[in-house]
Amino acid sequence: MVHLWLRAETKPKEHRAALTPSSCRVLIQNGNEIKFSIIIIYSRDEEYEREGCTLVPFGTWKTAPSDAYITGLKELPEYDNSPLSHSHIFFAHCYKNQSGWQDIIRRFVQGNGILLDLEFLTDERGRRVAAFGYHAGFAGSALGLDVWAQQQIHPGQKYPSVEHFPNENDLITYVKDRLNKAISIKGYTPRIMVVGALGRCGKGAAEFARKVDIPEENIIKWDLEETKKGGPFPEILEADIFVNCIYLSQKIPPFLTKEMLDSPRKLSVIVDVSCDNTNPNNPIPVYTGNTSFGNPTIAVETKNTHPLDVISIDHLPTLLPRESSEQFTTDLLPTLLELTNRDTAKVWVDVEKIFRQKASLIDS
Protein backbone atom coordinates (compact mmCIF):
# COMPACT_ATOMS: atom_id res chain seq x y z
CA MET A 1 0.00 0.00 0.00
CA VAL A 2 1.25 3.46 -0.91
CA HIS A 3 0.71 6.16 1.72
CA LEU A 4 0.05 9.59 0.14
CA TRP A 5 -0.28 12.72 2.25
CA LEU A 6 -1.70 15.76 0.47
CA ARG A 7 -0.32 18.86 2.16
CA ALA A 8 -2.08 22.20 2.12
CA GLU A 9 -0.84 24.77 -0.37
CA THR A 10 0.42 27.86 1.45
CA LYS A 11 1.19 30.12 -1.51
CA PRO A 12 -1.21 33.10 -1.48
CA LYS A 13 -4.22 32.66 -3.81
CA GLU A 14 -3.20 29.11 -4.77
CA HIS A 15 -6.41 27.12 -5.21
CA ARG A 16 -5.26 24.06 -7.18
CA ALA A 17 -4.58 20.60 -5.82
CA ALA A 18 -2.05 17.92 -6.71
CA LEU A 19 -4.74 15.31 -6.05
CA THR A 20 -8.39 15.89 -6.90
CA PRO A 21 -11.27 13.96 -5.31
CA SER A 22 -11.75 11.95 -8.51
CA SER A 23 -8.07 10.94 -8.63
CA CYS A 24 -8.18 10.01 -4.94
CA ARG A 25 -11.10 7.68 -5.69
CA VAL A 26 -9.01 5.77 -8.23
CA LEU A 27 -5.95 5.64 -5.98
CA ILE A 28 -7.95 4.34 -3.02
CA GLN A 29 -9.68 1.75 -5.20
CA ASN A 30 -6.18 0.52 -6.05
CA GLY A 31 -5.31 -0.01 -2.40
CA ASN A 32 -3.59 3.28 -1.54
CA GLU A 33 -4.12 5.28 1.63
CA ILE A 34 -4.48 9.06 1.42
CA LYS A 35 -4.18 11.48 4.30
CA PHE A 36 -5.54 14.89 3.56
CA SER A 37 -4.53 18.13 5.30
CA ILE A 38 -5.83 21.24 3.69
CA ILE A 39 -7.09 24.74 4.39
CA ILE A 40 -7.30 26.69 1.13
CA ILE A 41 -8.23 24.70 -1.97
CA TYR A 42 -10.80 24.79 -4.74
CA SER A 43 -12.69 21.73 -3.45
CA ARG A 44 -14.53 21.36 -0.18
CA ASP A 45 -13.15 18.94 2.38
CA GLU A 46 -16.33 16.86 2.12
CA GLU A 47 -15.53 16.00 -1.50
CA TYR A 48 -12.38 14.22 -0.32
CA GLU A 49 -14.05 12.58 2.66
CA ARG A 50 -16.69 11.09 0.38
CA GLU A 51 -13.95 9.38 -1.60
CA GLY A 52 -12.45 7.77 1.52
CA CYS A 53 -9.67 10.23 2.37
CA THR A 54 -8.77 10.86 6.00
CA LEU A 55 -8.69 14.52 7.03
CA VAL A 56 -5.90 15.57 9.40
CA PRO A 57 -4.91 18.97 10.87
CA PHE A 58 -2.98 21.54 8.87
CA GLY A 59 0.79 21.11 8.90
CA THR A 60 0.81 17.59 10.31
CA TRP A 61 2.58 16.23 7.24
CA LYS A 62 5.81 17.01 9.10
CA THR A 63 5.01 14.21 11.56
CA ALA A 64 3.61 11.79 8.98
CA PRO A 65 4.91 8.19 8.98
CA SER A 66 8.34 7.91 7.39
CA ASP A 67 6.99 5.95 4.41
CA ALA A 68 4.50 8.68 3.43
CA TYR A 69 4.85 10.54 0.15
CA ILE A 70 4.19 14.21 0.94
CA THR A 71 2.39 15.49 -2.12
CA GLY A 72 1.74 19.09 -3.18
CA LEU A 73 2.15 21.52 -6.04
CA LYS A 74 3.97 24.70 -5.14
CA GLU A 75 6.86 25.46 -2.82
CA LEU A 76 6.96 24.47 0.83
CA PRO A 77 6.03 27.05 3.50
CA GLU A 78 8.33 30.07 3.65
CA TYR A 79 10.66 30.88 6.53
CA ASP A 80 11.30 27.23 7.33
CA ASN A 81 14.74 25.78 6.71
CA SER A 82 14.25 22.63 8.80
CA PRO A 83 15.54 19.31 7.41
CA LEU A 84 13.11 17.26 5.30
CA SER A 85 12.97 13.55 6.01
CA HIS A 86 10.16 12.33 3.74
CA SER A 87 9.86 11.70 0.02
CA HIS A 88 8.24 14.85 -1.39
CA ILE A 89 6.40 15.16 -4.71
CA PHE A 90 5.96 18.76 -5.87
CA PHE A 91 7.29 21.50 -8.17
CA ALA A 92 10.46 22.66 -6.41
CA HIS A 93 11.86 24.85 -9.23
CA CYS A 94 15.45 24.23 -8.20
CA TYR A 95 17.03 22.08 -10.93
CA LYS A 96 17.87 24.89 -13.38
CA ASN A 97 20.08 26.86 -10.97
CA GLN A 98 17.27 29.18 -9.94
CA SER A 99 17.94 31.57 -7.09
CA GLY A 100 18.05 29.67 -3.78
CA TRP A 101 18.13 26.20 -5.33
CA GLN A 102 20.92 25.00 -3.08
CA ASP A 103 18.98 25.93 0.06
CA ILE A 104 16.06 23.76 -1.05
CA ILE A 105 18.20 20.72 -1.87
CA ARG A 106 20.18 21.13 1.34
CA ARG A 107 17.05 20.61 3.45
CA PHE A 108 16.57 17.19 1.84
CA VAL A 109 20.24 16.29 2.25
CA GLN A 110 20.20 17.25 5.93
CA GLY A 111 17.00 15.30 6.63
CA ASN A 112 17.84 12.32 4.40
CA GLY A 113 14.68 12.99 2.43
CA ILE A 114 14.09 12.76 -1.32
CA LEU A 115 12.71 15.28 -3.80
CA LEU A 116 10.69 13.73 -6.63
CA ASP A 117 10.10 16.85 -8.71
CA LEU A 118 6.87 16.87 -10.73
CA GLU A 119 8.50 18.90 -13.51
CA PHE A 120 10.99 16.09 -14.20
CA LEU A 121 8.64 13.10 -14.31
CA THR A 122 9.05 12.06 -17.94
CA ASP A 123 8.01 9.18 -20.18
CA GLU A 124 10.17 7.04 -22.49
CA ARG A 125 10.29 9.87 -25.06
CA GLY A 126 11.44 12.39 -22.49
CA ARG A 127 8.07 14.16 -22.48
CA ARG A 128 6.60 15.28 -19.16
CA VAL A 129 3.89 12.91 -17.97
CA ALA A 130 1.80 15.76 -16.55
CA ALA A 131 2.02 19.52 -16.89
CA PHE A 132 -0.05 22.63 -16.34
CA GLY A 133 1.37 24.16 -19.50
CA TYR A 134 -1.85 24.46 -21.49
CA HIS A 135 -3.71 26.22 -18.68
CA ALA A 136 -0.67 28.39 -17.88
CA GLY A 137 -0.68 29.70 -21.44
CA PHE A 138 -4.47 29.97 -21.48
CA ALA A 139 -4.52 32.02 -18.27
CA GLY A 140 -1.50 34.09 -19.28
CA SER A 141 -3.14 35.06 -22.54
CA ALA A 142 -6.34 35.95 -20.67
CA LEU A 143 -4.56 38.25 -18.25
CA GLY A 144 -2.40 39.77 -20.98
CA LEU A 145 -5.45 40.71 -23.04
CA ASP A 146 -7.23 41.99 -19.96
CA VAL A 147 -4.27 44.17 -18.95
CA TRP A 148 -4.23 45.60 -22.49
CA ALA A 149 -7.95 46.30 -22.13
CA GLN A 150 -7.31 48.00 -18.78
CA GLN A 151 -4.73 50.27 -20.40
CA GLN A 152 -7.35 51.49 -22.86
CA ILE A 153 -10.37 51.68 -20.52
CA HIS A 154 -8.54 53.16 -17.52
CA PRO A 155 -5.27 54.68 -18.82
CA GLY A 156 -2.75 55.34 -16.09
CA GLN A 157 -4.56 53.20 -13.52
CA LYS A 158 -2.75 50.17 -12.11
CA TYR A 159 -4.24 46.80 -12.93
CA PRO A 160 -6.07 45.49 -9.83
CA SER A 161 -5.74 42.19 -7.98
CA VAL A 162 -7.24 39.11 -9.62
CA GLU A 163 -9.44 36.36 -8.20
CA HIS A 164 -9.82 32.89 -9.66
CA PHE A 165 -12.76 31.99 -11.91
CA PRO A 166 -15.13 29.05 -11.34
CA ASN A 167 -14.87 27.90 -14.95
CA GLU A 168 -13.48 28.69 -18.38
CA ASN A 169 -16.71 30.16 -19.75
CA ASP A 170 -16.91 32.78 -17.01
CA LEU A 171 -13.31 33.84 -17.69
CA ILE A 172 -13.92 34.10 -21.44
CA THR A 173 -17.10 36.13 -20.96
CA TYR A 174 -15.38 38.54 -18.57
CA VAL A 175 -12.33 39.17 -20.77
CA LYS A 176 -14.34 39.36 -23.99
CA ASP A 177 -16.59 42.05 -22.54
CA ARG A 178 -13.61 44.15 -21.39
CA LEU A 179 -11.78 43.58 -24.65
CA ASN A 180 -14.72 44.78 -26.72
CA LYS A 181 -14.88 47.99 -24.69
CA ALA A 182 -11.17 48.55 -25.17
CA ILE A 183 -11.30 47.89 -28.91
CA SER A 184 -14.09 50.45 -29.29
CA ILE A 185 -11.88 53.00 -27.53
CA LYS A 186 -8.61 52.14 -29.27
CA GLY A 187 -10.11 51.64 -32.69
CA TYR A 188 -8.38 48.36 -33.50
CA THR A 189 -8.03 44.76 -32.31
CA PRO A 190 -4.72 44.01 -30.53
CA ARG A 191 -2.05 41.76 -31.99
CA ILE A 192 -0.82 39.09 -29.62
CA MET A 193 2.53 37.36 -30.23
CA VAL A 194 3.12 33.93 -28.72
CA VAL A 195 6.70 32.59 -28.64
CA GLY A 196 6.83 28.86 -27.99
CA ALA A 197 3.56 28.50 -29.85
CA LEU A 198 3.85 24.80 -30.67
CA GLY A 199 4.16 23.62 -27.08
CA ARG A 200 1.34 22.97 -24.64
CA CYS A 201 1.70 26.41 -23.10
CA GLY A 202 1.78 28.24 -26.43
CA LYS A 203 -1.21 26.34 -27.73
CA GLY A 204 -3.17 27.35 -24.64
CA ALA A 205 -2.22 31.01 -25.14
CA ALA A 206 -3.30 31.01 -28.78
CA GLU A 207 -6.52 29.14 -27.98
CA PHE A 208 -7.66 31.70 -25.44
CA ALA A 209 -7.08 34.49 -27.95
CA ARG A 210 -9.31 32.65 -30.42
CA LYS A 211 -12.02 32.15 -27.80
CA VAL A 212 -12.30 35.92 -27.25
CA ASP A 213 -12.52 36.47 -31.03
CA ILE A 214 -9.01 37.72 -31.77
CA PRO A 215 -8.67 37.12 -35.56
CA GLU A 216 -6.17 34.43 -36.52
CA GLU A 217 -4.07 36.96 -38.42
CA ASN A 218 -3.66 38.91 -35.17
CA ILE A 219 -2.25 35.86 -33.35
CA ILE A 220 1.44 35.73 -34.26
CA LYS A 221 2.80 32.26 -33.52
CA TRP A 222 6.57 31.77 -33.26
CA ASP A 223 8.49 28.66 -32.29
CA LEU A 224 11.94 27.16 -32.92
CA GLU A 225 11.92 27.88 -36.66
CA GLU A 226 11.27 31.59 -36.18
CA THR A 227 13.68 32.02 -33.26
CA LYS A 228 16.59 29.85 -34.48
CA LYS A 229 18.54 32.89 -35.75
CA GLY A 230 18.72 34.16 -32.17
CA GLY A 231 17.48 37.37 -30.61
CA PRO A 232 16.94 40.15 -29.92
CA PHE A 233 13.76 40.29 -32.02
CA PRO A 234 12.47 43.77 -32.94
CA GLU A 235 9.35 42.04 -34.33
CA ILE A 236 8.13 41.68 -30.75
CA LEU A 237 7.84 45.45 -30.49
CA GLU A 238 5.26 45.42 -33.29
CA ALA A 239 2.80 43.33 -31.27
CA ASP A 240 0.58 44.81 -28.58
CA ILE A 241 0.97 41.80 -26.28
CA PHE A 242 3.92 39.42 -26.07
CA VAL A 243 3.38 36.04 -24.37
CA ASN A 244 6.56 34.09 -23.61
CA CYS A 245 5.80 30.37 -23.45
CA ILE A 246 9.20 28.77 -24.04
CA TYR A 247 10.74 26.03 -21.92
CA LEU A 248 14.21 27.33 -21.12
CA SER A 249 16.77 24.53 -21.03
CA GLN A 250 19.94 26.33 -22.10
CA LYS A 251 21.45 29.78 -22.51
CA ILE A 252 19.99 31.69 -25.46
CA PRO A 253 20.31 35.29 -26.66
CA PRO A 254 17.70 37.58 -25.12
CA PHE A 255 14.39 38.07 -26.93
CA LEU A 256 14.28 41.71 -25.81
CA THR A 257 16.69 44.18 -24.26
CA LYS A 258 15.91 47.17 -22.07
CA GLU A 259 17.36 49.51 -24.68
CA MET A 260 14.94 48.23 -27.34
CA LEU A 261 12.01 49.33 -25.23
CA ASP A 262 13.06 52.97 -25.57
CA SER A 263 12.33 52.76 -29.31
CA PRO A 264 8.91 53.49 -30.84
CA ARG A 265 6.75 50.42 -30.22
CA LYS A 266 3.20 49.11 -30.02
CA LEU A 267 4.13 46.60 -27.32
CA SER A 268 2.49 47.50 -24.01
CA VAL A 269 2.06 44.12 -22.26
CA ILE A 270 4.54 41.29 -21.66
CA VAL A 271 3.26 38.04 -20.18
CA ASP A 272 6.24 35.98 -19.04
CA VAL A 273 4.49 32.66 -18.53
CA SER A 274 7.86 30.91 -18.29
CA CYS A 275 8.88 33.09 -15.31
CA ASP A 276 12.62 32.54 -15.68
CA ASN A 277 13.61 35.90 -14.21
CA THR A 278 15.73 34.23 -11.50
CA ASN A 279 17.45 32.04 -14.09
CA PRO A 280 20.90 33.30 -15.17
CA ASN A 281 19.84 32.58 -18.77
CA ASN A 282 16.62 34.62 -18.60
CA PRO A 283 15.67 35.65 -22.18
CA ILE A 284 13.56 38.65 -21.06
CA PRO A 285 16.00 40.66 -18.89
CA VAL A 286 13.85 43.81 -18.82
CA TYR A 287 12.33 43.42 -15.35
CA THR A 288 13.09 41.82 -12.00
CA GLY A 289 10.90 39.87 -9.60
CA ASN A 290 7.74 37.86 -9.98
CA THR A 291 4.28 39.34 -9.78
CA SER A 292 1.28 37.76 -8.06
CA PHE A 293 -2.49 37.57 -8.31
CA GLY A 294 -2.62 40.16 -5.56
CA ASN A 295 -0.25 42.46 -7.48
CA PRO A 296 -0.34 41.18 -11.08
CA THR A 297 1.81 43.68 -12.97
CA ILE A 298 5.17 45.45 -12.88
CA ALA A 299 5.48 48.73 -14.79
CA VAL A 300 8.75 48.86 -16.74
CA GLU A 301 10.32 52.30 -16.85
CA THR A 302 11.56 53.34 -20.28
CA LYS A 303 12.34 56.54 -22.17
CA ASN A 304 9.21 55.83 -24.19
CA THR A 305 5.94 57.39 -22.98
CA HIS A 306 4.03 54.31 -24.18
CA PRO A 307 3.23 52.12 -21.11
CA LEU A 308 4.69 48.67 -20.61
CA ASP A 309 3.31 46.28 -17.99
CA VAL A 310 4.80 42.87 -17.24
CA ILE A 311 2.90 39.88 -15.83
CA SER A 312 5.18 37.29 -14.24
CA ILE A 313 2.93 35.09 -12.08
CA ASP A 314 4.45 31.67 -11.48
CA HIS A 315 1.18 29.84 -10.85
CA LEU A 316 -1.08 31.14 -13.59
CA PRO A 317 -3.21 27.96 -13.92
CA THR A 318 -4.82 28.66 -10.56
CA LEU A 319 -6.88 31.29 -12.39
CA LEU A 320 -8.93 28.21 -13.39
CA PRO A 321 -8.20 25.91 -10.45
CA ARG A 322 -10.79 23.18 -10.94
CA GLU A 323 -10.28 22.63 -14.65
CA SER A 324 -6.49 22.86 -14.51
CA SER A 325 -6.27 20.51 -11.49
CA GLU A 326 -8.55 17.92 -13.07
CA GLN A 327 -6.55 17.93 -16.30
CA PHE A 328 -3.22 17.70 -14.47
CA THR A 329 -4.17 14.90 -12.10
CA THR A 330 -5.80 12.89 -14.88
CA ASP A 331 -2.44 12.91 -16.67
CA LEU A 332 -0.46 12.26 -13.47
CA LEU A 333 -2.61 9.38 -12.20
CA PRO A 334 -0.96 6.51 -14.16
CA THR A 335 2.43 7.61 -12.81
CA LEU A 336 1.16 7.78 -9.22
CA LEU A 337 -0.18 4.25 -9.59
CA GLU A 338 3.38 3.16 -10.44
CA LEU A 339 4.57 4.20 -6.96
CA THR A 340 3.85 0.61 -5.93
CA ASN A 341 6.88 -0.25 -8.09
CA ARG A 342 8.90 2.82 -7.14
CA ASP A 343 12.27 1.01 -7.16
CA THR A 344 11.85 -0.31 -10.69
CA ALA A 345 9.42 2.04 -12.49
CA LYS A 346 11.59 4.04 -14.89
CA VAL A 347 9.76 7.32 -14.36
CA TRP A 348 10.44 7.26 -10.62
CA VAL A 349 13.95 5.82 -10.89
CA ASP A 350 14.93 8.58 -13.32
CA VAL A 351 13.54 11.44 -11.27
CA GLU A 352 15.29 10.20 -8.13
CA LYS A 353 18.53 9.97 -10.10
CA ILE A 354 18.25 13.68 -10.96
CA PHE A 355 17.79 14.48 -7.28
CA ARG A 356 20.82 12.41 -6.29
CA GLN A 357 22.95 14.20 -8.88
CA LYS A 358 21.94 17.62 -7.57
CA ALA A 359 22.29 16.54 -3.95
CA SER A 360 25.88 15.44 -4.60
CA LEU A 361 26.74 19.10 -5.27
CA ILE A 362 25.55 20.27 -1.88
CA ASP A 363 27.60 20.65 1.29
CA SER A 364 25.33 19.66 4.14
Side-chain angles (χ1 to χ4, degrees), residues 3-10 34-39 54-90 107-108 111 113-114:
H3 184 182
L4 291 163
W5 198 295
L6 179 64
R7 63 173 171 82
E9 299 294 332
T10 56
I34 301 175
K35 296 286 186 181
F36 171 55
S37 67
I38 205 141
I39 288 183
T54 302
L55 271 65
V56 292
F58 172 75
T60 50
W61 60 264
K62 295 180 180 180
T63 57
S66 60
D67 67 339
Y69 290 92
I70 311 302
T71 309
L73 285 178
K74 299 302 291 182
E75 57 265 30
L76 294 165
E78 292 183 306
Y79 313 115
D80 184 353
N81 293 317
S82 59
L84 297 167
S85 59
H86 295 90
S87 293
H88 282 254
I89 303 172
F90 71 109
R107 294 181 65 188
F108 287 96
I114 297 173

Side-chain angles (χ1 to χ4, degrees), residues 37-172:
S37 67
I38 205 141
I39 288 183
I40 303 172
I41 199 169
Y42 77 86
S43 290
R44 295 183 179 276
D45 293 350
E46 304 87 74
E47 293 186 60
Y48 286 88
E49 286 184 301
R50 283 198 298 268
E51 303 300 347
C53 300
T54 302
L55 271 65
V56 292
F58 172 75
T60 50
W61 60 264
K62 295 180 180 180
T63 57
S66 60
D67 67 339
Y69 290 92
I70 311 302
T71 309
L73 285 178
K74 299 302 291 182
E75 57 265 30
L76 294 165
E78 292 183 306
Y79 313 115
D80 184 353
N81 293 317
S82 59
L84 297 167
S85 59
H86 295 90
S87 293
H88 282 254
I89 303 172
F90 71 109
F91 288 105
H93 301 298
C94 65
Y95 285 170
K96 294 188 286 184
N97 297 330
Q98 293 98 326
S99 176
W101 72 271
Q102 292 173 314
D103 296 331
I104 298 171
I105 299 295
R106 185 173 289 110
R107 294 181 65 188
F108 287 96
V109 172
Q110 292 175 339
N112 201 31
I114 297 173
L115 168 60
L116 303 169
D117 198 305
L118 286 166
E119 184 177 351
F120 293 86
L121 293 172
T122 56
D123 61 19
E124 294 79 6
R125 299 174 296 167
R127 184 174 172 82
R128 290 171 63 180
V129 300
F132 282 101
Y134 177 86
H135 282 97
F138 196 89
S141 183
L143 291 183
L145 286 161
D146 196 45
V147 169
W148 182 86
Q150 172 83 2
Q151 291 171 342
Q152 318 316 316
I153 300 169
H154 302 292
Q157 288 189 21
K158 184 170 175 58
Y159 188 71
S161 64
V162 178
E163 298 299 328
H164 68 280
F165 285 77
N167 57 63
E168 178 182 306
N169 288 337
D170 283 7
L171 173 62
I172 292 168

